Amino acid sequence: MKMIEIKNLTKRYGDLLAVDSVNFTVGAGEVLGFLGPNGAGKSTTMKMIAGFLTPSAGSISVCGFDVEAQPLEAKRCIGYLPEGAPAYGEMTPAGFLRFIADIRGIAPGARDQRIRDVVVRLGLERVFEQPIETLSKGFKRRVGIAQAILHDPKVLVLDEPTDGLDPNQKHEVRTLIQGLAKDKIVVVSTHILEEVHAVCTRAIIIANGRVVADATPDELEARSRYHHAVTVRADDLETLKSMLSGVAGVDEVIIDNEDKVVTAFPRKGQSIFAAITRLIQERKLAVSEVLLERGRLDEVFRTITQTGARS
Amino acid sequence: MNPVSVIFKRELASYFSTPVAYVFIVIFLVLANAFAFQLGGLYERGQADLRPFFDFHPWLYLFLVPAVAMRLWAEERNTGSIELLLTLPVTQNQAVVGKFLAAWAFVGIALALTFPIWITVNYLGDPDNGVIITSYIGSLLMAGGFLAIGSAVSAATRSQVIAFIVTVVICFGLLLAGHPLVLGFFKMVLPQWLVDGVAALSFITHFSSISKGVIDLRDLIFFGLLIGFFLYATSVVIDLKKAD
């Protein structure tokens, strides 16, 4: 079932084309990663899905409701975490979540139980009665997510939920998103690529307002030059390079002097890992590490967004 | 619960969760009474009425009401909470009205706390309480007009300081529109019907007729239309400036 359906979505700011006829649909069970360089149109797209900005052209429907024609119905179906997780700083999480529950029309009888559930899920018990403006970034973000999932929405839209958090907090938020993904569809924007593998079932890359890639994280990695390349760590890099160049199927070998590794790239569609490991064993080469690369998302990202920007 | 009343409750509570509300109320009460007794000569006049008290309200509001109105939308825009508020299942108009009513109620609370001066004149003499009640109503309506203007200005900027200054300037213009000096000047250069038009915009003209004890429908309509117009303008401005 299509939970989000976007057709020819366009947003203009004066002469600037921020989002340029974007099309995609998101179905049940998907966690969609929304990637792109800063200023690519990610946030603008998410703001339009959430009903904050009005599209210049095109249409968005969420849970079958057109965002412009039936905004309240669509908004009821969405939980939205705006970028930076804004909240009313002078309120406590307790007061803030009660406000959200009331305005979302959660029945007073069910309200306190619902807030308790969310507070436990996000680990907010300790700060429940502290003003939000005094909380750490991690807690603020969790309050923002609590607010977004309070009414148990079918669609969850999170704009850069891990931006500015420390590695532990990032990990927590990702685990949380994975947990949420079980019964809702999640759209999460980020420019942190490791996140895509960690949480997403599908990734859309957007550059200059256009969708330049729409694939699973594995498919994206397969586009990388590093896909199925072999990286070897050793002391004598020059000798290693010349030996690897002779292996059948190897297209090119490059030395990375910073990391003290040599990487051999295969010709398209060829597998060179077995041949290289055999060579190392036969010649008894002194290597400390042999790695079969899966593909580097950051490289794919750079290639796609930069060529996308040129075209 | 109605979204307007949920927003109203949250906003009003937020005034009192910071010291700002108490500072405002104290300053309002001190100045209102100081003006009435020192400048207005409430005692010296020897009359049991509150004219000197209410006469200074327009000038008191000129600085104090924009201070309440400046945070209405500028703060929401500055912290980004506007994006949260307007993606909740409420219409923009409900948000505009809810926030405005909360600010109005807050000024109303401050105004209501001036009741000791009313008790005082009743103790000292035998004032016309009907006039005093209509004066309070007129004063509250005028505060609403100032607030609605402040709301629209506040929606146009992230900066509360700018919102404050611009609102003061606009309100100052609307206050002076009815001043004899200003009207005298306009009389020299403008035809009479335009002078009347300028005078008709004056807060002071409408306020002073209400505070004489006459509730004229035209004065009520003036403040009602003024508030309605500037709340509508608030909504329009929010739409225009959303993307910034």
Side-chain angles (χ1 to χ4, degrees), chain A residues 71-93:
Chain A
L72 295 185
E73 287 81 357
K75 283 172 181 174
R76 281 194 193 100
C77 172
I78 303 179
Y80 177 49
L81 174 73
E83 195 175 351
Y88 293 106
E90 79 281 356
M91 298 179 98
T92 63

PDB file of all heavy atoms in Angstrom, chain A residues 71-93:
ATOM      1  N   PRO A  71      -5.522  18.949   4.679  1.00  0.00           N
ATOM      2  CA  PRO A  71      -4.290  19.058   5.483  1.00  0.00           C
ATOM      3  C   PRO A  71      -4.427  18.465   6.882  1.00  0.00           C
ATOM      4  O   PRO A  71      -3.495  17.820   7.367  1.00  0.00           O
ATOM      5  CB  PRO A  71      -4.050  20.582   5.546  1.00  0.00           C
ATOM      6  CG  PRO A  71      -5.352  21.206   5.226  1.00  0.00           C
ATOM      7  CD  PRO A  71      -6.067  20.258   4.315  1.00  0.00           C
ATOM      8  N   LEU A  72      -5.582  18.645   7.517  1.00  0.00           N
ATOM      9  CA  LEU A  72      -5.683  18.171   8.900  1.00  0.00           C
ATOM     10  C   LEU A  72      -5.655  16.648   8.970  1.00  0.00           C
ATOM     11  O   LEU A  72      -4.987  16.064   9.825  1.00  0.00           O
ATOM     12  CB  LEU A  72      -6.953  18.715   9.564  1.00  0.00           C
ATOM     13  CG  LEU A  72      -6.991  20.242   9.751  1.00  0.00           C
ATOM     14  CD1 LEU A  72      -8.227  20.654  10.527  1.00  0.00           C
ATOM     15  CD2 LEU A  72      -5.732  20.753  10.435  1.00  0.00           C
ATOM     16  N   GLU A  73      -6.355  15.999   8.022  1.00  0.00           N
ATOM     17  CA  GLU A  73      -6.355  14.534   8.000  1.00  0.00           C
ATOM     18  C   GLU A  73      -4.938  14.001   7.764  1.00  0.00           C
ATOM     19  O   GLU A  73      -4.489  13.054   8.407  1.00  0.00           O
ATOM     20  CB  GLU A  73      -7.284  13.991   6.897  1.00  0.00           C
ATOM     21  CG  GLU A  73      -8.771  14.132   7.200  1.00  0.00           C
ATOM     22  CD  GLU A  73      -9.300  15.534   6.896  1.00  0.00           C
ATOM     23  OE1 GLU A  73      -8.507  16.419   6.510  1.00  0.00           O
ATOM     24  OE2 GLU A  73     -10.519  15.741   7.049  1.00  0.00           O
ATOM     25  N   ALA A  74      -4.238  14.650   6.820  1.00  0.00           N
ATOM     26  CA  ALA A  74      -2.873  14.208   6.527  1.00  0.00           C
ATOM     27  C   ALA A  74      -1.976  14.419   7.742  1.00  0.00           C
ATOM     28  O   ALA A  74      -1.184  13.541   8.109  1.00  0.00           O
ATOM     29  CB  ALA A  74      -2.329  14.970   5.313  1.00  0.00           C
ATOM     30  N   LYS A  75      -2.123  15.573   8.404  1.00  0.00           N
ATOM     31  CA  LYS A  75      -1.262  15.868   9.556  1.00  0.00           C
ATOM     32  C   LYS A  75      -1.521  14.915  10.719  1.00  0.00           C
ATOM     33  O   LYS A  75      -0.619  14.617  11.489  1.00  0.00           O
ATOM     34  CB  LYS A  75      -1.477  17.316  10.016  1.00  0.00           C
ATOM     35  CG  LYS A  75      -0.788  18.328   9.104  1.00  0.00           C
ATOM     36  CD  LYS A  75      -1.183  19.750   9.459  1.00  0.00           C
ATOM     37  CE  LYS A  75      -0.500  20.744   8.530  1.00  0.00           C
ATOM     38  NZ  LYS A  75      -0.976  22.117   8.762  1.00  0.00           N
ATOM     39  N   ARG A  76      -2.770  14.459  10.850  1.00  0.00           N
ATOM     40  CA  ARG A  76      -3.077  13.508  11.922  1.00  0.00           C
ATOM     41  C   ARG A  76      -2.355  12.194  11.715  1.00  0.00           C
ATOM     42  O   ARG A  76      -2.060  11.477  12.663  1.00  0.00           O
ATOM     43  CB  ARG A  76      -4.587  13.246  11.985  1.00  0.00           C
ATOM     44  CG  ARG A  76      -5.308  14.353  12.679  1.00  0.00           C
ATOM     45  CD  ARG A  76      -6.739  13.998  13.059  1.00  0.00           C
ATOM     46  NE  ARG A  76      -7.392  15.248  13.427  1.00  0.00           N
ATOM     47  CZ  ARG A  76      -8.199  15.921  12.618  1.00  0.00           C
ATOM     48  NH1 ARG A  76      -8.515  15.428  11.438  1.00  0.00           N
ATOM     49  NH2 ARG A  76      -8.721  17.055  13.000  1.00  0.00           N
ATOM     50  N   CYS A  77      -2.094  11.886  10.463  1.00  0.00           N
ATOM     51  CA  CYS A  77      -1.511  10.591  10.113  1.00  0.00           C
ATOM     52  C   CYS A  77       0.019  10.606  10.220  1.00  0.00           C
ATOM     53  O   CYS A  77       0.663   9.576  10.209  1.00  0.00           O
ATOM     54  CB  CYS A  77      -1.980  10.267   8.702  1.00  0.00           C
ATOM     55  SG  CYS A  77      -1.265   8.867   7.939  1.00  0.00           S
ATOM     56  N   ILE A  78       0.585  11.825  10.323  1.00  0.00           N
ATOM     57  CA  ILE A  78       2.040  11.969  10.307  1.00  0.00           C
ATOM     58  C   ILE A  78       2.568  12.324  11.693  1.00  0.00           C
ATOM     59  O   ILE A  78       1.968  13.100  12.413  1.00  0.00           O
ATOM     60  CB  ILE A  78       2.464  13.122   9.346  1.00  0.00           C
ATOM     61  CG1 ILE A  78       1.928  12.885   7.953  1.00  0.00           C
ATOM     62  CG2 ILE A  78       3.977  13.276   9.307  1.00  0.00           C
ATOM     63  CD1 ILE A  78       2.280  13.996   6.975  1.00  0.00           C
ATOM     64  N   GLY A  79       3.715  11.751  12.026  1.00  0.00           N
ATOM     65  CA  GLY A  79       4.492  12.268  13.146  1.00  0.00           C
ATOM     66  C   GLY A  79       5.716  12.928  12.545  1.00  0.00           C
ATOM     67  O   GLY A  79       6.376  12.344  11.689  1.00  0.00           O
ATOM     68  N   TYR A  80       6.015  14.147  12.949  1.00  0.00           N
ATOM     69  CA  TYR A  80       7.075  14.894  12.267  1.00  0.00           C
ATOM     70  C   TYR A  80       8.074  15.451  13.271  1.00  0.00           C
ATOM     71  O   TYR A  80       7.695  16.090  14.251  1.00  0.00           O
ATOM     72  CB  TYR A  80       6.434  16.040  11.469  1.00  0.00           C
ATOM     73  CG  TYR A  80       7.401  16.956  10.754  1.00  0.00           C
ATOM     74  CD1 TYR A  80       8.427  16.441   9.953  1.00  0.00           C
ATOM     75  CD2 TYR A  80       7.282  18.332  10.873  1.00  0.00           C
ATOM     76  CE1 TYR A  80       9.293  17.295   9.293  1.00  0.00           C
ATOM     77  CE2 TYR A  80       8.141  19.189  10.202  1.00  0.00           C
ATOM     78  CZ  TYR A  80       9.148  18.655   9.416  1.00  0.00           C
ATOM     79  OH  TYR A  80      10.005  19.499   8.765  1.00  0.00           O
ATOM     80  N   LEU A  81       9.332  15.192  13.018  1.00  0.00           N
ATOM     81  CA  LEU A  81      10.398  15.809  13.806  1.00  0.00           C
ATOM     82  C   LEU A  81      11.096  16.825  12.916  1.00  0.00           C
ATOM     83  O   LEU A  81      11.834  16.466  12.018  1.00  0.00           O
ATOM     84  CB  LEU A  81      11.408  14.753  14.254  1.00  0.00           C
ATOM     85  CG  LEU A  81      12.658  15.303  14.959  1.00  0.00           C
ATOM     86  CD1 LEU A  81      12.331  15.795  16.347  1.00  0.00           C
ATOM     87  CD2 LEU A  81      13.756  14.258  15.002  1.00  0.00           C
ATOM     88  N   PRO A  82      10.847  18.130  13.145  1.00  0.00           N
ATOM     89  CA  PRO A  82      11.529  19.133  12.326  1.00  0.00           C
ATOM     90  C   PRO A  82      13.029  19.130  12.615  1.00  0.00           C
ATOM     91  O   PRO A  82      13.464  18.637  13.659  1.00  0.00           O
ATOM     92  CB  PRO A  82      10.895  20.456  12.776  1.00  0.00           C
ATOM     93  CG  PRO A  82       9.652  20.092  13.502  1.00  0.00           C
ATOM     94  CD  PRO A  82       9.914  18.748  14.101  1.00  0.00           C
ATOM     95  N   GLU A  83      13.786  19.691  11.689  1.00  0.00           N
ATOM     96  CA  GLU A  83      15.233  19.765  11.838  1.00  0.00           C
ATOM     97  C   GLU A  83      15.589  20.493  13.131  1.00  0.00           C
ATOM     98  O   GLU A  83      15.032  21.544  13.428  1.00  0.00           O
ATOM     99  CB  GLU A  83      15.794  20.532  10.643  1.00  0.00           C
ATOM    100  CG  GLU A  83      17.268  20.400  10.466  1.00  0.00           C
ATOM    101  CD  GLU A  83      17.731  21.093   9.190  1.00  0.00           C
ATOM    102  OE1 GLU A  83      16.877  21.516   8.390  1.00  0.00           O
ATOM    103  OE2 GLU A  83      18.955  21.202   9.022  1.00  0.00           O
ATOM    104  N   GLY A  84      16.502  19.914  13.904  1.00  0.00           N
ATOM    105  CA  GLY A  84      16.918  20.548  15.142  1.00  0.00           C
ATOM    106  C   GLY A  84      15.963  20.321  16.306  1.00  0.00           C
ATOM    107  O   GLY A  84      16.177  20.830  17.397  1.00  0.00           O
ATOM    108  N   ALA A  85      14.921  19.537  16.085  1.00  0.00           N
ATOM    109  CA  ALA A  85      13.965  19.181  17.139  1.00  0.00           C
ATOM    110  C   ALA A  85      13.493  20.373  17.971  1.00  0.00           C
ATOM    111  O   ALA A  85      13.683  20.413  19.176  1.00  0.00           O
ATOM    112  CB  ALA A  85      14.555  18.111  18.063  1.00  0.00           C
ATOM    113  N   PRO A  86      12.880  21.390  17.333  1.00  0.00           N
ATOM    114  CA  PRO A  86      12.409  22.534  18.107  1.00  0.00           C
ATOM    115  C   PRO A  86      11.298  22.134  19.074  1.00  0.00           C
ATOM    116  O   PRO A  86      10.510  21.233  18.791  1.00  0.00           O
ATOM    117  CB  PRO A  86      11.868  23.488  17.035  1.00  0.00           C
ATOM    118  CG  PRO A  86      11.515  22.616  15.894  1.00  0.00           C
ATOM    119  CD  PRO A  86      12.505  21.491  15.910  1.00  0.00           C
ATOM    120  N   ALA A  87      11.287  22.813  20.216  1.00  0.00           N
ATOM    121  CA  ALA A  87      10.224  22.583  21.197  1.00  0.00           C
ATOM    122  C   ALA A  87      10.042  23.888  21.955  1.00  0.00           C
ATOM    123  O   ALA A  87      10.765  24.848  21.714  1.00  0.00           O
ATOM    124  CB  ALA A  87      10.607  21.452  22.145  1.00  0.00           C
ATOM    125  N   TYR A  88       9.087  23.920  22.850  1.00  0.00           N
ATOM    126  CA  TYR A  88       8.922  25.111  23.678  1.00  0.00           C
ATOM    127  C   TYR A  88       9.824  24.960  24.892  1.00  0.00           C
ATOM    128  O   TYR A  88       9.528  24.189  25.806  1.00  0.00           O
ATOM    129  CB  TYR A  88       7.458  25.291  24.064  1.00  0.00           C
ATOM    130  CG  TYR A  88       6.588  25.612  22.874  1.00  0.00           C
ATOM    131  CD1 TYR A  88       5.725  24.681  22.333  1.00  0.00           C
ATOM    132  CD2 TYR A  88       6.681  26.863  22.258  1.00  0.00           C
ATOM    133  CE1 TYR A  88       4.947  24.975  21.220  1.00  0.00           C
ATOM    134  CE2 TYR A  88       5.911  27.164  21.150  1.00  0.00           C
ATOM    135  CZ  TYR A  88       5.050  26.224  20.636  1.00  0.00           C
ATOM    136  OH  TYR A  88       4.291  26.525  19.539  1.00  0.00           O
ATOM    137  N   GLY A  89      10.939  25.707  24.877  1.00  0.00           N
ATOM    138  CA  GLY A  89      12.002  25.489  25.850  1.00  0.00           C
ATOM    139  C   GLY A  89      11.604  25.668  27.290  1.00  0.00           C
ATOM    140  O   GLY A  89      12.153  25.015  28.173  1.00  0.00           O
ATOM    141  N   GLU A  90      10.625  26.554  27.541  1.00  0.00           N
ATOM    142  CA  GLU A  90      10.297  26.820  28.943  1.00  0.00           C
ATOM    143  C   GLU A  90       9.421  25.711  29.532  1.00  0.00           C
ATOM    144  O   GLU A  90       9.240  25.644  30.739  1.00  0.00           O
ATOM    145  CB  GLU A  90       9.611  28.188  29.071  1.00  0.00           C
ATOM    146  CG  GLU A  90       8.137  28.229  28.691  1.00  0.00           C
ATOM    147  CD  GLU A  90       7.887  28.271  27.172  1.00  0.00           C
ATOM    148  OE1 GLU A  90       8.873  28.340  26.416  1.00  0.00           O
ATOM    149  OE2 GLU A  90       6.723  28.216  26.765  1.00  0.00           O
ATOM    150  N   MET A  91       8.916  24.828  28.660  1.00  0.00           N
ATOM    151  CA  MET A  91       8.061  23.752  29.163  1.00  0.00           C
ATOM    152  C   MET A  91       8.893  22.554  29.588  1.00  0.00           C
ATOM    153  O   MET A  91      10.009  22.360  29.121  1.00  0.00           O
ATOM    154  CB  MET A  91       7.077  23.296  28.072  1.00  0.00           C
ATOM    155  CG  MET A  91       6.114  24.356  27.609  1.00  0.00           C
ATOM    156  SD  MET A  91       5.031  23.719  26.315  1.00  0.00           S
ATOM    157  CE  MET A  91       3.576  23.323  27.270  1.00  0.00           C
ATOM    158  N   THR A  92       8.335  21.731  30.441  1.00  0.00           N
ATOM    159  CA  THR A  92       8.976  20.461  30.780  1.00  0.00           C
ATOM    160  C   THR A  92       8.483  19.424  29.772  1.00  0.00           C
ATOM    161  O   THR A  92       7.438  19.621  29.150  1.00  0.00           O
ATOM    162  CB  THR A  92       8.573  20.008  32.187  1.00  0.00           C
ATOM    163  OG1 THR A  92       7.161  19.779  32.189  1.00  0.00           O
ATOM    164  CG2 THR A  92       8.921  21.062  33.220  1.00  0.00           C
ATOM    165  N   PRO A  93       9.222  18.301  29.616  1.00  0.00           N
ATOM    166  CA  PRO A  93       8.695  17.247  28.738  1.00  0.00           C
ATOM    167  C   PRO A  93       7.279  16.848  29.149  1.00  0.00           C
ATOM    168  O   PRO A  93       6.434  16.595  28.282  1.00  0.00           O
ATOM    169  CB  PRO A  93       9.678  16.099  28.943  1.00  0.00           C
ATOM    170  CG  PRO A  93      10.967  16.777  29.266  1.00  0.00           C
ATOM    171  CD  PRO A  93      10.584  17.979  30.091  1.00  0.00           C
TER     172      PRO A  93
END
